[in-house]
Amino acid sequence: MIELTDEILRKVIKKRKKDSYKGTYGRLLVIGGNAQYGGAAILATTSAVYSGAGLVSVALAKENHGALHARLPEAMTIDFDDVAHKGITTITPDDVAVAQKLGYVIKLVGDVREVESGISAEVSPTFLPKTHPLASVNDVMNAVFVESIGIGESMYYGPGAGQKPTATSVLADIIRIARRLSDGNVGKPFNEFRRDLPLANPADVKSNYYFALDTPDEKGKILHLSEIFNSEDISFEQVLQQKANGTTARIVVITHAMSKTQLQAVTEKLEAAEDFAVVNTLKVLSN
């Protein structure tokens, strides 16, 4: 076992620049779920703030906002109901096979980003390039990938909150409370900065998307499909037509970046078209 010395810590813990601001060292989103599961979100948020993450936002039920701010007033809060969330039940074996063929894996990803109009937060199954660090996170392991001005790209990786990690956090809290009682103070927040969190305009939030569509096995269908997407100023990055069964063909499209407004508009047009049935739509993290 290596003993942690001041010299080692000085190499690992970098002194922050005097002109840095909240967000310079990354933006991180913790998803807390409904009112019954606020405790785990509060523990995870505390770990994120004390580990040095820049702007930490928490999506959790309004009933738990008070408990979070009593412990960690510097955390930014978002109502869980305002976060777009989608589970993995819609993913089919065909989606997984197509992802592998095109060089992706599918992971459930919580994504938070800041754009000009505000904060965008979403949890959804996502196509990740196999070369992306998050693509290698498997089994009980979790990871947080951060892109920021101050440190570029970094990833924090470890097991989920099982018995020992949770017990360690609880014990650390007890020790901290005991120290504060002994010192006769209530302590001071790690960072007292707070600000409102306006949600972003959907037109400002852009991503690549995967579409799986069924269509009659007839000529001209890909041309018709491209006309629908072109009407919303959306271009294709990859197009794949799987082998037809004689009557129906499966067309898979990965688009270039488009806004959520465009996504909604083109999805409505596809659902209204008699020639196409939308099987699935997933977000794609581009290289």
Side-chain angles (χ1 to χ4, degrees):
M1 180 180 295
I2 300 175
E3 181 181 355
L4 289 178
T5 63
D6 290 342
E7 182 180 356
I8 293 175
L9 291 176
R10 277 194 293 269
K11 291 180 181 179
V12 176
I13 302 174
K14 304 296 182 181
K15 188 175 181 179
R16 297 195 171 193
K17 297 178 181 179
K18 291 182 179 180
D19 60 349
S20 65
Y21 56 89
K22 197 67 176 284
T24 300
Y25 294 92
R27 292 169 173 83
L28 187 146
L29 172 66
V30 176
I31 306 294
N34 61 31
Q36 298 178 5
Y37 300 101
I42 293 172
L43 287 173
T45 305
T46 304
S47 299
V49 170
Y50 280 86
S51 66
L55 182 62
V56 181
S57 304
V58 193
L60 74 170
K62 288 183 178 179
E63 295 90 331
N64 293 322
H65 286 194
L68 171 68
H69 284 145
R71 175 192 179 104
L72 204 67
E74 59 268 35
M76 311 292 128
T77 54
I78 303 172
D79 187 356
F80 178 72
D81 292 332
D82 291 333
V83 177
H85 47 280
K86 178 180 179 181
I88 62 174
T89 56
T90 61
I91 298 174
T92 68
D94 285 341
D95 294 325
V96 176
V98 169
Q100 290 289 330
K101 187 172 184 178
L102 297 179
Y104 295 91
V105 296
I106 302 176
K107 300 286 185 181
L108 188 64
V109 176
D111 179 20
V112 61
R113 63 184 75 178
E114 185 173 28
V115 295
E116 185 175 350
S117 57
I119 295 291
S120 166
E122 178 180 7
V123 179
S124 64
T126 302
F127 270 43
L128 295 175
K130 291 181 180 179
T131 54
H132 194 282
L134 289 176
S136 61
V137 180
N138 295 304
D139 302 320
V140 300
M141 307 303 287
N142 294 325
V144 177
F145 186 80
V146 180
E147 295 182 62
S148 69
I149 298 172
I151 59 174
E153 296 182 348
S154 60
M155 189 169 84
Y156 307 90
Y157 177 81
Q163 290 180 336
K164 291 183 179 179
T166 302
T168 300
S169 296
V170 172
L171 184 59
D173 288 343
I174 293 173
I175 293 172
R176 184 171 60 173
I177 292 170
R179 284 178 175 172
R180 288 177 177 176
L181 290 173
S182 177
D183 294 339
N185 63 66
V186 295
K188 184 178 180 180
F190 179 78
N191 189 323
E192 297 177 347
F193 176 87
R194 291 192 65 187
R195 70 170 185 177
D196 293 331
L197 279 180
L199 294 178
N201 186 328
D204 294 334
V205 183
K206 297 184 177 182
S207 296
N208 299 39
Y209 284 91
Y210 157 91
F211 287 81
L213 309 109
D214 283 342
T215 184
D217 186 19
E218 302 170 359
K219 65 179 182 180
K221 298 306 178 184
I222 291 183
L223 175 60
H224 185 196
L225 183 66
S226 64
E227 290 172 346
I228 293 175
F229 277 85
N230 189 57
S231 68
E232 293 298 331
D233 197 26
I234 302 168
S235 58
F236 296 158
E237 183 175 289
Q238 292 177 284
V239 179
L240 173 68
Q241 180 171 334
Q242 295 177 294
K243 187 175 181 180
N245 61 11
T247 58
T248 303
R250 172 68 57 86
I251 299 177
V252 170
V253 171
I254 292 182
T255 71
H256 286 111
M258 63 176 172
S259 69
K260 284 188 173 292
T261 304
Q262 290 174 295
L263 173 64
Q264 180 178 352
V266 77
T267 301
E268 289 175 354
K269 287 186 177 181
L270 289 170
E271 291 175 345
E274 295 182 358
D275 291 351
F276 300 105
V278 180
V279 179
N280 211 347
T281 304
L282 301 173
K283 190 163 67 173
V284 178
L285 187 65
S286 59
N287 288 297

